[in-house]
Amino acid sequence: MLNAELRIFQQMVRSFANDVVAPVIGDHYEARTFPYEIVSQMGDLGLFGLPFPEEYGGSGGDYFTLCIAIEELARVDSSVAITLEAAVSLGAMPIYRFGTKEQKEKYLPSMCSGQMLGAFGLTESGAGSDAGGTKTTAVRSEGDWVINGSKAFITNSGTNITGLITVNAVTGTRPDGTKEISSIIVPSGTRGLTVGPSYSKVGWNASDTHELAFDDVRVPLENLVGAEGRGYAQFLSILDEGRIAISALAVGLAQGCLDESIKYANTRMAFGRTIGTNQAIAFKLADMEVRTYTARLAYYDAAARMLRGEDFKRQAAVAKLYSSDIAVTNAREATQIHGGYGFMNEYPVSRMWRDSKILEIGEGTSEVQRMLIARDLGVN
Amino acid sequence: MKIAVCVKQVPDTWAEKKLKADTSTLDRESADGVLNELDEYAVEQALQLVEANGGEVVIVTMGPERAAETLRKAISMGADAGIHVLDNNLAGSDAIATSAVLAKALEGRDFDLIIFGSESTDARMSVIPAMVAERLGLAQVTFAQKVNVDGTTLTAERVTDYGFDTLSATLPAVVSVVEKINEPRYPSFKGIMAAKKKPVETLTATDLGLDPSVVGAGAAWSAVADFAARPPKPAGVVISDEGSGGTSIADYLTTSKFI
Ligand SMILES: Cc1cc2nc3c(=O)[nH]c(=O)nc-3n(C[C@H](O)[C@H](O)[C@H](O)COP(=O)(O)OP(=O)(O)OC[C@H]3O[C@@H](n4cnc5c(N)ncnc54)[C@H](O)[C@@H]3O)c2cc1C
């Protein structure tokens, strides 16, 4: 299904994941440390610049190429995969899609090289699925935006190499009384921005997630991304694409569960034979393959539609919903196949199990995906 | 300087390998074809030498149609061009025939240095570099763990049982490298896309002026008479400890002649 270049690229990321990520990521996960050395090498390989043109320091690939990289990384580890996904599709993409030429020239080259990470601040403690419920405000004052409020669960927002957070804030009220939301770039280290301590998470433990507080944070008016009041529409379109990337991540995790389980089923002995010789185990593996394969087709199709310039909203939601669901199922089955060892942190499947659940929550919960699909089917 | 690197497509190192029942040759279709791992070190060495001294790197391979992808992968690490010797009559060639083909492909192209990996993961003979050097009448430094070039002098550390020998040779020369020599780079996405535009020459045995009777399975100096699948691992012996576990283990080890 992939052309020769993409196959070579996929093989390259696969070797990188196996040779560079796999040996050390378990320790980072356990210690909850951010894998700077891995991120820096991913930068050298051009992974952070995949869907961006060379004039901004990008690799000149496309969104599908990014998805292939995310899938291959997630096959070994999700923390590294989400770091890439969030940096590119949430951090850099809004600036590339909606930013001014100056903003792109200023920020994209260092983001494409992986030397600087960008974060996307949408969710608040009281506004997740209902992102329109944003309470953070930005008002104009003496040539600046002055931002007040807070954001919750923001990926890549507190690393040593985080350079900016694109914050979604209320900048006015429409005649019909609804909030007008705009996106504004807040550079890391701006006075009044407080990055909270790392969350204690169930999974994605080698990825960086923080709560952010904004107390009279001042940034110049030119930090507005896109049109004033267009923030809501902008992040919806960013999230539509992002769902394909999260789907790729989920497929990678599902495939990783299968890889580990095949190895284990062919070597683990019980009752004098390998456990894979029991149909109860063999069928689990067959079903894991069926789910992974099907989910992969779903995200390939959504990505292909997007690249052809067709409508892909529904397909992206289907891919995200289905692949996150099967990632959780595969992770549960992989743990089951590994028995007690599957419950031990030193086995990669335990990490996959812990990392799987968030896929049904982040970048739009499964319920939100169903709402989108139903709405697109004309169900009101 | 102008450097050639000879690379081979091999079945994925981690895949289970099988011999074909009809021809007794390796079933290459059943596993993914990948660039022989040691050849990546050879490519890396060539790229480093060219980065330091200027020049160009040409990747050379002999193999079936699908070896083109392996050639591309090697080029995408940063090489400048490729030569693919592609000819159905070459299938089943042994080391002697392969070295004849490679020598013909390399001959007359003014290479200052020809680099090989020290073995392929499928055949593991390590003789091709030496055979090619002999055929071309060039100096050979095999199993190198370090290579330096100064003008027309090559200095290398050749791995031995007792450590290494330091050898020197005058270019042009043939070198084979071991994995200690460097850390091969990963091809970047840009490199992969750029490789698409690099020139690749595809040549047949006839283009190279080879006599068809000296290549291919028919010309091989050795033939596989018979082969059998590896026997399955026997089930282990479980000794339960009812107070005399130690003695039972010692008895078992004695009968198996371990102690
Ligand atoms: C590790 C991690 C990283 C994250 N990274 C980022 C980031 O980088 N940037 C960012 O902006 N956000 C980020 N998030 C936030 C994430 O996108 C939200 O958690 C998610 O959108 C869900 O919002 P919520 O947590 O407020 O849940 P809620 O919206 O409160 O949902 C609670 C439950 O109610 C359901 N529900 C809500 N409304 C409806 C409805 N109308 N009909 C039916 N069911 C409904 C939901 O599906 C869910 O099951 C991250 C979260 C985590 C955990």
Side-chain angles (χ1 to χ4, degrees):
Chain A
M1 235 175 308
L2 304 180
N3 66 25
E5 285 70 42
L6 278 178
R7 275 201 306 274
I8 294 173
F9 174 70
Q10 184 182 43
Q11 248 180 40
M12 181 276 282
V13 185
R14 189 171 299 168
S15 329
F16 176 80
N18 286 328
D19 302 344
V20 178
V21 180
V24 299
I25 199 64
D27 291 342
H28 278 296
Y29 201 84
E30 196 91 340
R32 296 171 185 261
T33 47
F34 189 77
Y36 288 103
E37 72 290 354
I38 295 177
V39 168
S40 149
Q41 288 181 71
M42 283 160 60
D44 294 342
L45 294 178
L47 300 191
F48 288 94
L50 279 173
F52 306 116
E54 296 192 18
E55 58 172 316
Y56 296 119
S59 302
D62 55 31
Y63 207 81
F64 184 55
T65 324
L66 171 70
C67 290
I68 296 288
I70 291 172
E71 183 189 330
E72 288 304 323
L73 290 171
R75 199 169 163 172
V76 167
D77 177 68
S78 290
S79 296
V80 170
I82 190 60
T83 299
L84 175 65
E85 195 277 341
V88 178
S89 105
L90 299 178
M93 195 56 89
I95 295 176
Y96 175 63
R97 286 254 189 273
F98 310 113
T100 61
K101 193 162 187 299
E102 289 71 32
Q103 287 169 341
K104 291 186 217 184
E105 281 169 356
K106 184 168 175 189
Y107 298 116
L108 287 180
S110 52
M111 294 174 108
C112 287
S113 69
Q115 278 156 354
M116 174 179 135
L117 297 177
F120 189 65
L122 177 62
T123 306
E124 298 183 1
S125 56
S129 304
D130 178 18
T134 297
K135 289 211 168 64
T136 299
T137 57
V139 296
R140 290 165 191 272
S141 155
E142 299 160 15
D144 286 333
W145 289 109
V146 178
I147 305 172
N148 279 289
S150 68
K151 293 286 166 186
F153 307 133
I154 307 306
T155 304
N156 286 341
S157 63
T159 70
N160 298 341
I161 53 171
T162 299
L164 65 87
I165 299 141
T166 302
V167 177
N168 292 280
V170 180
T171 47
T173 315
R174 293 211 169 77
D176 66 358
T178 57
K179 290 171 178 170
E180 197 178 87
I181 293 174
S182 307
S183 304
I184 299 167
I185 296 171
V186 176
S188 297
T190 305
R191 207 157 67 162
L193 165 65
T194 309
V195 178
S198 286
Y199 287 97
S200 168
K201 302 192 293 269
V202 169
W204 284 1
N205 284 333
S207 84
D208 180 80
T209 327
H210 300 268
E211 190 168 6
L212 306 172
F214 302 83
D215 182 15
D216 282 336
V217 171
R218 275 181 176 270
V219 297
L221 290 179
E222 74 235 25
N223 282 20
L224 179 73
V225 181
E228 191 172 341
R230 292 288 299 156
Y232 194 74
Q234 288 175 15
F235 70 65
L236 287 185
S237 85
I238 288 294
L239 293 180
D240 278 339
E241 294 177 5
R243 288 187 183 117
I244 306 177
I246 292 289
S247 175
L249 202 161
V251 169
L253 183 140
Q255 181 70 53
C257 289
L258 179 57
D259 297 342
E260 293 297 324
S261 299
I262 293 171
K263 271 193 275 178
Y264 197 74
N266 281 335
T267 48
R268 173 69 180 176
M269 304 287 294
F271 299 97
R273 54 176 197 261
T274 52
I275 57 169
T277 55
N278 298 295
Q279 202 177 60
I281 302 291
F283 278 18
K284 275 192 205 300
L285 294 166
D287 288 343
M288 285 165 85
E289 163 66 14
V290 171
R291 289 188 287 261
T292 310
Y293 179 79
T294 316
R296 184 177 291 119
L297 291 181
Y299 99 67
Y300 275 23
D301 178 57
R305 282 168 185 273
M306 173 186 158
L307 294 184
R308 287 197 300 263
E310 294 169 16
D311 202 14
F312 65 94
K313 209 179 160 73
R314 185 202 313 170
Q315 288 77 14
V318 169
K320 200 273 182 182
L321 172 65
Y322 182 68
S323 53
S324 57
D325 181 80
I326 68 113
V328 173
T329 308
N330 276 17
R332 191 185 67 237
E333 294 290 59
T335 308
Q336 191 66 21
I337 290 168
H338 279 70
Y341 295 98
F343 203 61
M344 296 298 121
N345 282 330
E346 68 181 278
Y347 278 78
V349 289
S350 70
R351 219 184 323 126
M352 293 174 184
W353 188 52
R354 290 165 65 175
D355 290 342
S356 63
K357 185 60 204 173
I358 177 64
L359 297 168
E360 294 185 318
I361 299 169
E363 296 200 31
T365 63
S366 292
E367 291 76 11
V368 167
Q369 307 307 322
R370 288 190 169 90
M371 278 158 54
L372 292 170
I373 296 164
R375 210 175 288 154
D376 196 67
L377 291 172
V379 184
N380 292 303
Chain B
M1 59 192 308
K2 196 171 164 189
I3 305 180
V5 182
C6 296
V7 305
K8 182 182 185 185
Q9 183 177 59
V10 296
D12 193 347
T13 329
W14 304 109
E16 195 169 335
K17 289 160 206 149
K18 293 189 199 82
L19 293 177
K20 282 198 277 198
D22 50 348
T23 56
S24 301
T25 53
L26 190 63
D27 181 0
R28 292 179 189 280
E29 256 75 80
S30 68
D32 283 345
V34 300
L35 173 58
N36 177 44
E37 209 177 310
L38 271 162
D39 298 347
E40 292 183 18
Y41 295 79
V43 177
E44 176 65 35
Q45 198 53 38
L47 294 174
Q48 287 184 12
L49 285 169
V50 160
E51 278 157 12
N53 303 297
E56 66 169 311
V57 177
V58 180
I59 310 291
V60 182
T61 196
M62 163 181 144
E65 199 99 44
R66 67 190 205 134
E69 196 165 314
T70 296
L71 187 68
R72 285 283 171 205
K73 178 176 175 199
I75 296 175
S76 64
M77 290 173 71
D80 302 283
I83 298 173
H84 185 178
V85 185
L86 169 64
D87 192 327
N88 287 338
N89 295 322
L90 296 174
S93 290
D94 63 1
I96 293 169
T98 303
S99 67
V101 176
L102 290 176
K104 279 282 183 203
L106 293 160
E107 194 176 70
R109 290 178 185 265
D110 300 322
F111 287 117
D112 300 297
L113 188 59
I114 298 164
I115 309 184
F116 288 84
S118 56
E119 66 174 31
S120 59
T121 51
D122 56 351
R124 312 200 59 183
M125 309 234 307
S126 295
V127 294
I128 297 277
M131 287 178 168
V132 169
E134 278 305 307
R135 289 185 184 275
L136 295 173
L138 301 179
Q140 50 170 291
V141 183
T142 48
F143 302 103
Q145 63 171 14
K146 197 169 180 184
V147 173
N148 270 318
V149 171
D150 188 4
T152 56
T153 309
L154 172 136
T155 339
E157 290 178 7
R158 181 180 197 272
V159 176
T160 63
D161 286 342
Y162 46 84
F164 63 86
D165 288 330
T166 305
L167 303 173
S168 61
T170 304
L171 299 182
V174 174
V175 167
S176 81
V177 300
V178 298
E179 73 277 359
K180 264 187 243 166
I181 197 161
N182 56 41
E183 192 57 56
R185 67 195 68 186
Y186 292 94
S188 69
F189 183 72
K190 268 192 217 173
I192 293 168
M193 294 315 281
K196 223 169 121 173
K197 300 188 192 94
K198 303 275 172 75
V200 171
E201 241 181 286
T202 306
L203 301 167
T204 62
T206 328
D207 294 336
L208 293 174
L210 281 159
D211 175 355
S213 68
V214 305
V215 295
W221 286 36
S222 60
V224 176
D226 196 12
F227 65 87
R230 184 175 31 197
K233 248 205 262 175
V237 175
V238 179
I239 294 170
S240 45
D241 186 11
E242 278 140 21
S244 58
T247 324
S248 308
I249 290 177
D251 286 348
Y252 174 77
L253 292 175
T254 313
T255 32
S256 316
K257 300 206 162 59
F258 284 116
I259 54 175

